[in-house]
Amino acid sequence: MKSEKFQSNLMQLQGNLLNFAYMLTSNRDDAYDLLQDTTLKALDNEEKYAEGTNFKGWVFTIMRNIFINNYRRTQRAATIVDTTENLYHLNICQDSGLEAPEGSFHAGEITDAIDAFPDEYRIPFSMHVAGYKYNEIAEHMNLPLGTVKSRIFFARKKLQERFADYR
Protein backbone atom coordinates (compact mmCIF):
# COMPACT_ATOMS: atom_id res chain seq x y z
CA MET A 1 0.00 0.00 0.00
CA LYS A 2 1.40 3.41 -0.91
CA SER A 3 2.34 5.61 1.99
CA GLU A 4 -0.29 8.25 1.19
CA LYS A 5 -3.10 5.69 0.98
CA PHE A 6 -1.85 4.01 4.17
CA GLN A 7 -1.85 7.32 6.04
CA SER A 8 -5.26 8.25 4.64
CA ASN A 9 -6.76 4.94 5.75
CA LEU A 10 -5.18 5.35 9.17
CA MET A 11 -6.58 8.87 9.57
CA GLN A 12 -10.07 7.68 8.62
CA LEU A 13 -9.95 5.17 11.48
CA GLN A 14 -8.99 7.72 14.16
CA GLY A 15 -12.56 8.18 15.45
CA ASN A 16 -13.18 4.43 15.67
CA LEU A 17 -9.79 3.89 17.28
CA LEU A 18 -10.47 6.60 19.86
CA ASN A 19 -13.79 4.95 20.78
CA PHE A 20 -12.06 1.58 21.14
CA ALA A 21 -9.27 3.15 23.20
CA TYR A 22 -11.81 4.77 25.50
CA MET A 23 -13.59 1.45 25.89
CA LEU A 24 -10.31 -0.19 26.91
CA THR A 25 -9.06 2.52 29.27
CA SER A 26 -12.26 4.19 30.56
CA ASN A 27 -10.27 7.41 30.78
CA ARG A 28 -10.19 10.17 28.17
CA ASP A 29 -6.53 11.13 28.62
CA ASP A 30 -5.37 7.51 28.62
CA ALA A 31 -7.48 6.87 25.51
CA TYR A 32 -5.78 9.74 23.66
CA ASP A 33 -2.36 8.43 24.74
CA LEU A 34 -3.26 4.95 23.52
CA LEU A 35 -4.52 6.37 20.22
CA GLN A 36 -1.27 8.29 19.74
CA ASP A 37 0.86 5.24 20.56
CA THR A 38 -1.16 3.12 18.15
CA THR A 39 -0.92 5.66 15.33
CA LEU A 40 2.84 5.97 15.76
CA LYS A 41 3.35 2.21 15.90
CA ALA A 42 1.21 1.68 12.80
CA LEU A 43 3.18 4.36 10.91
CA ASP A 44 6.50 2.89 12.08
CA ASN A 45 5.44 -0.58 10.93
CA GLU A 46 3.83 0.38 7.63
CA GLU A 47 6.20 -1.91 5.73
CA LYS A 48 4.94 -4.90 7.77
CA TYR A 49 1.37 -4.41 6.58
CA ALA A 50 0.56 -6.99 3.90
CA GLU A 51 -1.54 -5.72 1.01
CA GLY A 52 -4.97 -7.36 0.98
CA THR A 53 -5.02 -7.86 4.74
CA ASN A 54 -7.88 -6.35 6.74
CA PHE A 55 -6.36 -2.93 7.51
CA LYS A 56 -8.87 -2.04 10.20
CA GLY A 57 -8.32 -5.35 12.00
CA TRP A 58 -4.55 -4.91 11.73
CA VAL A 59 -4.61 -1.45 13.36
CA PHE A 60 -7.12 -2.49 16.07
CA THR A 61 -4.90 -5.47 16.91
CA ILE A 62 -1.95 -3.11 17.32
CA MET A 63 -4.01 -0.99 19.73
CA ARG A 64 -5.17 -3.97 21.73
CA ASN A 65 -1.63 -5.34 22.01
CA ILE A 66 -0.26 -1.96 23.15
CA PHE A 67 -2.99 -1.76 25.78
CA ILE A 68 -2.28 -5.29 27.05
CA ASN A 69 1.48 -4.69 27.16
CA ASN A 70 1.03 -1.41 29.05
CA TYR A 71 -1.33 -3.10 31.50
CA ARG A 72 1.13 -5.92 32.13
CA ARG A 73 3.97 -3.43 32.57
CA THR A 74 2.03 -1.50 35.24
CA GLN A 75 1.09 -4.73 37.02
CA ARG A 76 4.74 -5.83 37.12
CA ALA A 77 5.80 -2.41 38.38
CA ALA A 78 3.20 -2.57 41.16
CA THR A 79 4.44 -5.95 42.38
CA ILE A 80 6.67 -5.68 45.44
CA VAL A 81 9.17 -8.42 46.13
CA ASP A 82 10.41 -8.50 49.71
CA THR A 83 14.08 -9.45 49.63
CA THR A 84 14.81 -8.39 53.20
CA GLU A 85 16.03 -10.84 55.81
CA ASN A 86 13.12 -12.56 57.62
CA LEU A 87 10.67 -10.93 55.18
CA TYR A 88 10.57 -7.78 57.29
CA HIS A 89 8.31 -5.82 54.92
CA LEU A 90 5.75 -8.62 54.71
CA ASN A 91 5.63 -9.09 58.47
CA ILE A 92 5.10 -5.47 59.52
CA CYS A 93 1.58 -4.37 60.37
CA GLN A 94 -0.14 -3.20 57.20
CA ASP A 95 -2.91 -0.66 56.99
CA SER A 96 -5.83 -2.66 55.67
CA GLY A 97 -7.70 0.41 54.54
CA LEU A 98 -10.39 -0.36 57.08
CA GLU A 99 -10.99 1.90 60.01
CA ALA A 100 -9.96 0.94 63.49
CA PRO A 101 -12.67 -0.66 65.67
CA GLU A 102 -13.14 2.52 67.68
CA GLY A 103 -14.19 4.28 64.47
CA SER A 104 -16.71 1.67 63.38
CA PHE A 105 -20.37 1.35 64.27
CA HIS A 106 -22.51 -1.61 65.10
CA ALA A 107 -25.34 -2.48 62.75
CA GLY A 108 -27.73 -1.96 65.64
CA GLU A 109 -26.64 1.67 66.04
CA ILE A 110 -27.25 2.34 62.37
CA THR A 111 -30.59 0.53 62.43
CA ASP A 112 -31.67 2.54 65.48
CA ALA A 113 -30.75 5.77 63.69
CA ILE A 114 -32.77 4.75 60.62
CA ASP A 115 -35.73 3.68 62.75
CA ALA A 116 -35.71 7.11 64.40
CA PHE A 117 -36.45 8.77 61.04
CA PRO A 118 -40.02 9.85 60.30
CA ASP A 119 -41.84 7.36 58.04
CA GLU A 120 -41.56 9.70 55.05
CA TYR A 121 -37.75 9.22 55.14
CA ARG A 122 -37.40 5.82 56.81
CA ILE A 123 -39.58 3.83 54.40
CA PRO A 124 -38.01 4.96 51.11
CA PHE A 125 -34.50 4.79 52.57
CA SER A 126 -35.04 1.29 53.97
CA MET A 127 -36.50 0.10 50.68
CA HIS A 128 -33.54 1.58 48.78
CA VAL A 129 -31.06 -0.14 51.09
CA ALA A 130 -33.01 -3.38 50.60
CA GLY A 131 -32.36 -3.12 46.86
CA TYR A 132 -35.52 -1.58 45.48
CA LYS A 133 -35.10 0.76 42.52
CA TYR A 134 -36.19 4.37 42.81
CA ASN A 135 -39.13 3.87 40.45
CA GLU A 136 -40.33 0.82 42.41
CA ILE A 137 -40.24 2.81 45.64
CA ALA A 138 -42.10 5.71 44.00
CA GLU A 139 -44.75 3.34 42.70
CA HIS A 140 -45.12 1.56 46.06
CA MET A 141 -45.41 4.83 47.99
CA ASN A 142 -47.46 6.57 45.29
CA LEU A 143 -44.98 9.47 45.16
CA PRO A 144 -43.20 11.29 42.33
CA LEU A 145 -39.77 9.88 41.49
CA GLY A 146 -38.02 13.14 42.40
CA THR A 147 -39.59 13.13 45.85
CA VAL A 148 -38.34 9.61 46.50
CA LYS A 149 -34.81 10.51 45.39
CA SER A 150 -34.86 13.63 47.53
CA ARG A 151 -36.02 11.78 50.64
CA ILE A 152 -33.37 9.09 50.23
CA PHE A 153 -30.73 11.79 49.76
CA PHE A 154 -31.81 13.61 52.92
CA ALA A 155 -31.96 10.36 54.91
CA ARG A 156 -28.36 9.66 53.86
CA LYS A 157 -27.35 13.17 54.89
CA LYS A 158 -29.02 12.76 58.29
CA LEU A 159 -27.10 9.53 58.88
CA GLN A 160 -23.83 11.17 57.88
CA GLU A 161 -24.47 14.08 60.21
CA ARG A 162 -25.43 11.83 63.10
CA PHE A 163 -22.36 9.61 62.85
CA ALA A 164 -19.92 12.36 61.89
CA ASP A 165 -19.88 13.47 65.53
CA TYR A 166 -18.37 10.13 66.58
CA ARG A 167 -15.28 10.37 64.39
Side-chain angles (χ1 to χ4, degrees), residues 1-19:
M1 181 180 287
K2 287 187 177 178
S3 186
E4 286 179 23
K5 186 176 181 195
F6 183 89
Q7 291 175 8
S8 172
N9 287 346
L10 187 58
M11 291 303 117
Q12 289 175 1
L13 287 177
Q14 294 295 295
N16 293 343
L17 287 168
L18 182 59
N19 289 339

Side-chain angles (χ1 to χ4, degrees), residues 37 41 113 142:
D37 291 345
K41 187 153 189 143
N142 198 25

